[in-house]
Amino acid sequence: MDRQNIRNFCIIAHIDHGKSTLADRLLQLTNTVSDREMKEQLLDNMDLERERGVTIKASAVRMFYRSQNQTEYLINLIDTPGHVDFTYEVSRALQACEGAILVVDASQGIEAQTLANVYLALEHNLEIIPVINKIDLPAARPDDVADEIADLLGIPPEDMIRISAKTGFNVEAVLEAVIERVPPPVGDIEAPLRALVFDSHYDSYKGVIAYVRVVDGIARNNEKMKLMATNANFDSIEIGFFNPTMNATTEIGVGEVGYIATGLKTVQECKVGDTVTLNNGREQEPLPGYKDVKPMVFAGFYPTDNDEYTNLREAFEKLKLNDAALTFEPENSQALNFGFRVGFLGLFHMEIVQERLEREYDLDILATAPSVQYEIVKRNGDIIRIDSPAMLPDPSEYEEIREPWMKIQIYVPQEYIGAVMDLVINKRGEYITTEYLDKTRVTLHYYIPLAEVIVDFFDRLKSATRGYASLDYQFDEYRPGDLVKLDVLVNKDAVDALSMIVHRDDAYHKGQKLVNKLKDLIPQQMFVVPVQAAVGKNVISRANVKALRKDVLAKCYGGDISRKKKLLEKQKKGKKRMKMIGSVEIPQEAFMSVLSLNDD
């Protein structure tokens, strides 16, 4: 098709603002999907995506549309992930487009993730088309929301499209706006092939399927190609486009979006943001913006039954085929035996992986509290990175510990500023600035340690603001801090899976809270079980789990006191011997109690 009649766009929105519903209506309007095949959130393939109302995996679809001027256009829609953990994938999807539809809920208005995606789109010089959705809701306030968007983008409120994606009202105006406002793709058809990989998935028959946008040249079947960042060579087994299922064709040209079946065995070789080019010995300039995605949050995953260890490893290997950001390596814990140290992009990513392991692979998993990656500066000048408190060397071996800090933006109504400031200051946050977006809403900017964000920060933020606040965050830098390792000893044995790295000022309070929680969660034994929190050699808190006692005096209904003492002494000796050989079973709730230490 003539390049002037091609349009590439994506839809950006905050979670639950109607992005997937609008995509459904566009597919129906262009007759890409028949009514018989249509179902809600068609592009969200996973059950988890449907249940949580958030797109986890990017997808693409090709649509043909005859406009009001009777010209036929080829429109490529790239559906982007909808959570802050997947910001890098969103940025690559945006790079594959020339325009973006900004969907804003008419009842909720602009939120933090909306702002973050708008700035990403502006960085990539995309044409932004604001769309106000859900205007049929009783609580809708489209005029106020239009004024908010006008202040943000400088677009007159009357130019904004008002729709109801659920009912299909005025959705055709969105397609007309895409054709009118989004520029056609540019690129050199005579130049050697350069195609941007914006996502990939693993197919057991065709290997890794790379989702690509062709920037220069033409991608053809059965050509020798290579990926520039990973230097992986492959033959293009199949080339095609999404309709929304995969449809094979012979070639895809400049400006088109489609897929290349590579035959590669792991998505590690075909990373998001990489450049596909021909493997003909001629050097090409890679497309800009590629970077390695590094996990930010780490947790230990252990099978509750040790016999399931092999099944857990196989499940991780299968998940990793479709998720290049997931990292895992074997780990051995004294308390939990064999398991894996797993790296995630964020807490939401961790939740998704854990739920998929339990649902799709029928595994019963015990997960430790999440931690972040710390930089340790050793006395000889070496810098090592650790992602588990158990790996922290002896204090005599290092000079300082550095922790990751994030730059966060909290978007909140004005009346909750005080509550948000209290929360962030309690979490060691540093204030940067306040922006007034309109008469009622502000954006608060802070620096805050990632370790304080990953556990319960978002839940507490929602509670403090009655659900009105929204949050966006980006990694800033590693900073040195007065951090110590808080150990937990159960029956005088350190439980490595319960240890954590905390700020020295918080160590006593966190240790005391943790010990009190564990005292109630650890089941009673036939002997007294001491639960202690310690920093180095100093025990800072202790509580005892009382022993289960048999009433040995029940049969003594009279007689000399010495007989009773003799029985009690005999019981005491038995309990002492039992304590030396007894082992304490620690339940899953004990490990999860670390997550709720900050609850009041």
Side-chain angles (χ1 to χ4, degrees), residues 127-139:
E127 180 66 39
I128 297 175
I129 302 169
V131 170
I132 300 169
N133 188 23
K134 303 189 185 181
I135 60 167
D136 55 325
L137 289 181

Side-chain angles (χ1 to χ4, degrees), residues 432-481:
I432 306 172
T433 184
T434 302
E435 282 179 50
Y436 281 81
L437 295 153
D438 55 36
K439 293 172 188 171
T440 59
R441 304 241 224 164
V442 296
T443 306
L444 300 167
H445 297 263
Y446 284 93
Y447 293 119
I448 191 168
L450 177 60
E452 302 286 353
V453 175
I454 61 169
V455 179
D456 66 343
F457 182 79
F458 189 66
D459 292 342
R460 290 168 71 85
L461 178 67
K462 286 288 186 188
S463 300
T465 61
R466 296 186 186 174
Y468 282 112
S470 55
L471 172 74
D472 185 54
Y473 54 85
Q474 308 87 35
F475 173 72
D476 186 54
E477 62 177 350
Y478 274 92
R479 291 194 202 175

Side-chain angles (χ1 to χ4, degrees), residues 250-389:
T250 53
E251 62 180 44
I252 49 175
V254 169
E256 293 190 60
V257 174
Y259 67 87
I260 300 174
T262 64
L264 297 170
K265 297 299 177 198
T266 67
V267 277
Q268 293 303 103
E269 298 171 286
C270 180
K271 293 183 176 177
V272 172
D274 208 342
T275 305
V276 176
T277 186
L278 295 175
N279 186 15
N280 54 10
R282 290 168 60 187
E283 280 301 310
Q284 291 295 322
E285 187 71 26
L287 295 165
Y290 171 77
K291 66 177 184 184
D292 264 331
V293 183
K294 291 187 173 65
M296 299 296 288
V297 174
F298 297 83
F301 275 39
Y302 298 85
T304 49
D305 179 359
N306 282 328
D307 295 340
E308 293 285 313
Y309 175 78
T310 309
N311 294 341
L312 180 59
R313 189 184 66 229
E314 286 171 2
F316 271 127
E317 283 167 355
K318 285 175 185 170
L319 277 181
K320 194 172 171 64
L321 288 173
N322 281 320
D323 190 348
L326 183 71
T327 64
F328 67 97
E329 55 186 37
E331 182 179 60
N332 186 15
S333 161
Q334 295 165 348
L336 304 170
N337 293 324
F338 293 101
F340 295 93
R341 194 79 192 160
V342 193
F344 308 94
L345 294 171
L347 213 60
F348 179 72
H349 189 205
M350 175 179 160
E351 274 180 50
I352 294 298
V353 169
Q354 186 171 353
E355 221 164 308
R356 287 188 70 184
L357 287 170
E358 288 171 352
R359 281 187 185 196
E360 296 173 24
Y361 300 97
D362 199 24
L363 291 166
D364 209 359
I365 295 163
L366 199 150
T368 64
S371 67
V372 300
Q373 193 171 56
Y374 295 91
E375 279 187 353
I376 313 297
V377 182
K378 301 189 91 171
R379 297 209 180 274
N380 61 5
D382 291 348
I383 295 176
I384 59 168
R385 288 195 171 187
I386 63 160
D387 49 52
S388 167

Side-chain angles (χ1 to χ4, degrees), residues 486-490 507-519 530-535 538-544:
L486 180 66
D487 283 313
V488 175
L489 293 85
V490 177
Y508 174 73
H509 299 292
K510 286 195 173 177
Q512 197 174 34
K513 279 185 178 179
L514 187 54
V515 162
N516 287 334
K517 287 204 170 197
L518 291 176
K519 179 191 74 171
V531 182
Q532 298 165 304
V535 173
N538 301 325
V539 174
I540 57 175
S541 184
R542 170 182 170 139
N544 287 339

